[in-house]
Amino acid sequence: MKSPDTGPDFVVKLVETEEELRAAQALRYDVFVRELGGGGDMVDHQFGLERDRFDPFFDHMIVTDTSSGTVVGVYRLMRDDQAARAGQFYSEDEYDLTPLRQSGRRLLELGRSCLHPKYRGGIAMFHLWNGLAEYVERNGIEILFGVASFHGTDTEALRAPLSLLHHNHLAPPELRVRARETQFQSMDLIPADQLDRRAAMLEVPALIKAYLRLGGNVGEGAWIDHKFNTLDVCLVLDTARMNARQRRLYEGGGR
């Protein structure tokens, strides 16, 4: 699959070969293991691959720099029919997804989003978003969701951005998933009237900000992921609630 507007230097497609999958897993290893200090039972340190038992059930979207043939961006996508074959969504280990499952709407879980360091802040992510928009349209997806992470597990250091998400961006009750109690971390850590919202937003990771700009919300509570050395929040985006400007951004139509 190509994005409708990949330009001359990037191609966006779904992984079709074992070689492409290994390239995606290698980029994930560089970002999530080498850079961020993550780990896992199936991480292959010998060959530098970050993988898990869910990989065979996901679609893997990659963006490739055609000048070098290098995979520079990755997204992992799981529709509800794929989750049924896997036995669950990946994020169900961290969040109770009952509200989403009971909605009766077409679901798509997003995960393992990452870019090569040299391509961050450029147009590579734009191409991934274009590819994602095409995938969503083709598969009739109505709700997108998935965990996104703050680096580190020091809750005290993340009090402000977590509180901002809690006070200003909670998902509506009918879509409000909740972190499981085993590693549940309240995000209501600073009273709303004592929060410096501008300063707090500066501490929110870029990917989470992007979903918020598109009208996304977060579930109740964060999840402490010691394996990946992160504090995770669950983002939920109802495509029906996106306004015209947000939809143009999402579909690559500019500001």
Side-chain angles (χ1 to χ4, degrees):
M1 179 190 68
K2 281 192 176 184
S3 166
D5 180 24
T6 57
D9 297 320
F10 294 96
V11 171
V12 179
K13 67 186 298 287
L14 296 181
V15 160
E16 297 175 313
T17 67
E18 184 64 26
E19 181 181 6
E20 290 174 338
L21 178 58
R22 287 173 67 88
Q25 293 170 333
L27 177 60
R28 284 162 41 183
Y29 185 91
D30 287 343
V31 174
F32 295 119
V33 181
R34 287 198 177 105
E35 182 178 344
L36 299 178
D41 295 339
M42 292 184 65
V43 170
D44 187 335
H45 295 288
Q46 180 180 356
F47 292 100
L49 304 175
E50 192 280 304
R51 55 190 181 183
D52 64 21
R53 71 179 183 87
F54 289 94
D55 273 342
F57 301 98
F58 274 88
D59 283 337
H60 301 263
M61 184 174 289
I62 55 175
V63 58
T64 301
D65 182 341
T66 58
S67 66
S68 63
T70 303
V71 172
V72 301
V74 176
Y75 238 133
R76 200 166 76 158
L77 314 173
M78 180 182 274
R79 303 182 308 272
D80 39 24
D81 57 300
Q82 293 167 309
R85 292 195 291 273
Q88 66 170 89
F89 286 106
Y90 170 82
S91 55
E92 275 183 294
D93 286 341
E94 301 185 11
Y95 280 82
D96 180 357
L97 303 181
T98 299
L100 301 185
R101 285 189 171 278
Q102 292 182 343
S103 70
R105 303 172 69 192
R106 287 283 286 164
L107 306 177
L108 179 68
E109 181 179 43
L110 310 176
R112 292 299 199 275
S113 174
C114 62
L115 290 173
H116 187 286
K118 292 182 180 179
Y119 293 81
R120 294 172 193 168
I123 61 172
M125 193 67 203
F126 170 82
H127 291 296
L128 272 178
W129 279 98
N130 274 353
L132 176 60
E134 180 185 331
Y135 185 97
V136 166
E137 179 69 21
R138 187 172 67 251
N139 288 281
I141 302 300
E142 297 171 279
I143 296 176
L144 296 85
F145 72 97
V147 296
S149 303
F150 290 84
H151 182 47
T153 58
D154 183 354
T155 305
E156 184 65 22
L158 299 171
R159 291 169 70 245
L162 291 175
S163 297
L164 177 73
L165 295 178
H166 176 82
H167 293 307
N168 292 82
H169 298 286
L170 272 184
E174 67 272 17
L175 299 178
R176 191 177 301 168
V177 301
R178 180 180 170 84
R180 297 195 181 276
E181 295 299 328
T182 49
Q183 294 293 338
F184 181 91
Q185 170 59 56
S186 172
M187 297 194 295
D188 186 6
L189 301 171
I190 300 175
D193 59 0
Q194 298 177 24
L195 185 63
D196 183 338
R197 295 181 182 180
R198 177 180 172 81
M201 183 56 77
L202 292 174
E203 298 182 51
V204 175
L207 181 63
I208 297 177
K209 287 179 184 175
Y211 282 107
L212 298 181
R213 285 195 294 269
L214 292 172
N217 299 108
V218 299
E220 178 72 32
W223 167 269
I224 304 173
D225 189 341
H226 295 288
K227 180 176 68 176
F228 270 90
N229 189 34
T230 59
L231 202 64
D232 298 343
V233 297
C234 190
L235 291 156
V236 180
L237 176 61
D238 183 347
T239 60
R241 298 188 179 200
M242 295 169 66
N243 62 35
R245 178 179 178 276
Q246 290 167 334
R247 192 172 295 279
R248 285 196 302 273
L249 286 169
Y250 170 64
E251 295 173 350
R255 293 183 179 180

